[in-house]
Amino acid sequence: MSEAALPAFNVAALADQLQHDPAAALATLEATAQRGDPQAQFLLGQARMEGRGIAPDAAAAVLWIERAANGGLPLAMNMLGRCHELGTGTPINLALAAVWYRKAADAELDWGLYNLANLLGTGRGVPRDDAAAFALYLRAARLGHAKSMNLVGRCLEDGIGVPADPRAAPAWYRRSAEAGDFRGQASHASLLLAAGDIDGAADWLRRALAHGSPSFLAHVRPTLAASPHPAIRALVS
């Protein structure tokens, strides 16, 4: 098929087709990616990474994602950083992960801000800088990023990278909880529990347990099981 004969590229339609009929979408997707469209390159990289309609190949996926990132797509920049951080399809390189996260952050992508903040807050791939990490979490939180809202609350409560302001933390925990972050829900529930609102705390903890990661659940279940409140213990019985 010649370039002139290729159908117009509709990102939303093709992304939906990849979910429901991936094999049928791949011909259009690959042709459009080869033409240099960053969004098509990114979607093709995702398809290769996840094995949707094509054999999974993490190394090939990273090459497409890198082309999309170099083409200026912030989502691809962030995903490329994630590949370098985790060693998915490429060797682990935290310094390079930070480079790509920073590019995504400079484009005001919430996940890029969050991921770069995580590296800065732990000193992985970059010198540790708690103040810079807090500033990035705050930028991401103001864009509506739920996980960052929780970490803004944590930084304010504990004085990490910012003067401690425990009175300001609860509002961020609540925003994070309402936005659906399970850690934010647990943080908000902890404050409700301390204030004596057992039913309210149990409700938010129930939501956190329903969506929590395995590591979160492994950490929180013993604490809840040891609670003096029957309603809290019942959540993990």
Side-chain angles (χ1 to χ4, degrees):
M1 182 182 291
S2 69
E3 182 173 321
L6 286 170
F9 180 55
N10 184 313
V11 176
L14 196 52
D16 181 70
Q17 190 177 23
L18 275 171
Q19 293 290 332
H20 300 99
D21 190 2
L26 283 172
T28 299
L29 182 59
E30 186 157 6
T32 310
Q34 292 285 5
R35 285 192 302 175
D37 187 290
Q39 294 182 92
Q41 291 167 345
F42 179 62
L43 284 175
L44 183 57
Q46 288 185 307
R48 293 306 302 264
M49 188 71 74
E50 299 167 10
R52 281 184 284 157
I54 194 168
D57 186 335
V62 169
L63 293 177
W64 281 113
I65 293 167
E66 185 173 23
R67 289 176 68 175
N70 283 319
L73 188 67
L75 284 171
M77 297 171 188
N78 179 69
M79 182 172 283
L80 185 57
R82 194 72 172 154
C83 290
H84 285 300
E85 181 183 358
L86 300 178
T88 304
T90 186
I92 290 176
N93 187 329
L94 295 176
L96 196 52
V99 168
W100 283 108
Y101 286 151
R102 191 174 298 279
K103 288 179 181 291
D106 287 345
E108 288 300 298
L109 181 70
D110 54 357
W111 279 103
L113 293 161
Y114 169 81
N115 285 323
L116 179 58
N118 284 344
L119 293 186
L120 286 164
T122 54
R124 292 179 297 126
V126 289
R128 180 166 179 165
D129 189 334
D130 288 337
F134 172 76
L136 290 166
Y137 286 136
L138 185 59
R139 281 166 62 187
R142 287 172 172 164
L143 290 171
H145 192 258
K147 289 184 178 296
S148 293
M149 294 174 189
N150 177 58
L151 287 167
V152 167
R154 182 66 61 204
C155 290
L156 287 166
E157 183 176 6
D158 296 339
I160 302 172
V162 65
D165 188 355
R167 291 176 299 178
W172 284 107
Y173 289 147
R174 183 178 185 89
R175 288 180 63 180
S176 176
E178 291 173 345
D181 179 56
F182 61 85
R183 294 188 188 278
Q185 290 165 349
S187 298
H188 180 50
S190 179
L191 294 184
L192 292 175
L193 197 59
D197 184 356
I198 311 304
D199 291 340
D203 178 56
W204 284 108
L205 286 169
R206 190 175 296 108
R207 301 187 206 189
L209 291 169
H211 303 290
S213 67
S215 61
F216 168 80
L217 295 176
H219 172 75
V220 76
R221 283 181 178 278
T223 301
L224 300 184
S227 172
H229 305 290
I232 303 301
R233 293 198 302 273
L235 295 173
V236 292
S237 61

